[in-house]
Amino acid sequence: MSAGALDDMGDGVARTAEPRQPAAPVSRRQLARRVAILRAASELGAREGLVGVQMLDVAKEAGVAIATLYRYFPSKTHLFTAVLEWHIEMFLEGYREAATADGASDVADTLIALTVKLLDSPLLASAVALSSFTEYASAIPNRYDIADSCLGLTILRLLGIREPRDQDRSTIRLLLYSWWGLFVAAQTEETSPQQVEADLRLAVRLILAPYGDRNA
């Protein structure tokens, strides 16, 4: 059985998580419920870590029925993967990078600032990192391309790319996978924050070298 196949109901009872796509909220009320769930999971994850969070507690904290929670997030893995994506989106909405002629430098600054922000809450950072190591991707094969994520699109914009080619998208994927590896290394304290920043700047410079300056 896969690592993500069993999930607790929040009451100590194991349940089998259906390998299906989470329901997509469409109305304002549904969107508000989803945000309430993500906020509640974030607060509980920051205090308890992934193992300590019970799905029933998330539902109670968010003020929704447990069935509603499982409709949007079939497992705790789905939930904390969405928490990570939500935190990245919120960060990028509030972050205003000082654009320069050097797109690669702007990308590095953005990724470093994001890493620092995510690591501000160690237990929550651990929760989203642990969730990423489950078999979520194999259970839900229709996830979006990471190049189309909010972070991927931001990097394309910083590089001045409005109509990305396949090669551009592959480059963004490679860069984001490199960033994620360094984020995990920092979260597990395998390397120092200073070394993570230096390695990230090097990775950005090497991977984005073919793009050069935006104004070139």
Side-chain angles (χ1 to χ4, degrees), residues 42-57:
S42 297
E43 293 173 355
L44 289 171
R47 296 199 304 265
E48 307 292 339
L50 184 64
V51 175
V53 174
Q54 304 294 322
M55 293 291 273
L56 185 58
D57 291 336

Side-chain angles (χ1 to χ4, degrees), residues 175 178-179 182 198-209:
L175 179 59
S178 298
W179 164 73
L182 290 169
D199 290 347
L200 184 52
R201 289 193 183 280
L202 175 60
V204 170
R205 187 166 68 251
L206 293 174
I207 294 172
L208 298 183

Side-chain angles (χ1 to χ4, degrees), residues 189-202:
E189 298 183 349
E190 293 179 15
T191 186
S192 67
Q194 295 79 10
Q195 189 60 53
V196 168
E197 178 174 348
D199 290 347
L200 184 52
R201 289 193 183 280
L202 175 60

Side-chain angles (χ1 to χ4, degrees), residues 102-105 159 167 171 174-175 201-214 216:
D102 185 354
S105 179
L159 295 173
Q167 182 176 341
T171 299
L174 177 59
L175 179 59
R201 289 193 183 280
L202 175 60
V204 170
R205 187 166 68 251
L206 293 174
I207 294 172
L208 298 183
Y211 293 88
D213 290 346
R214 282 184 302 205

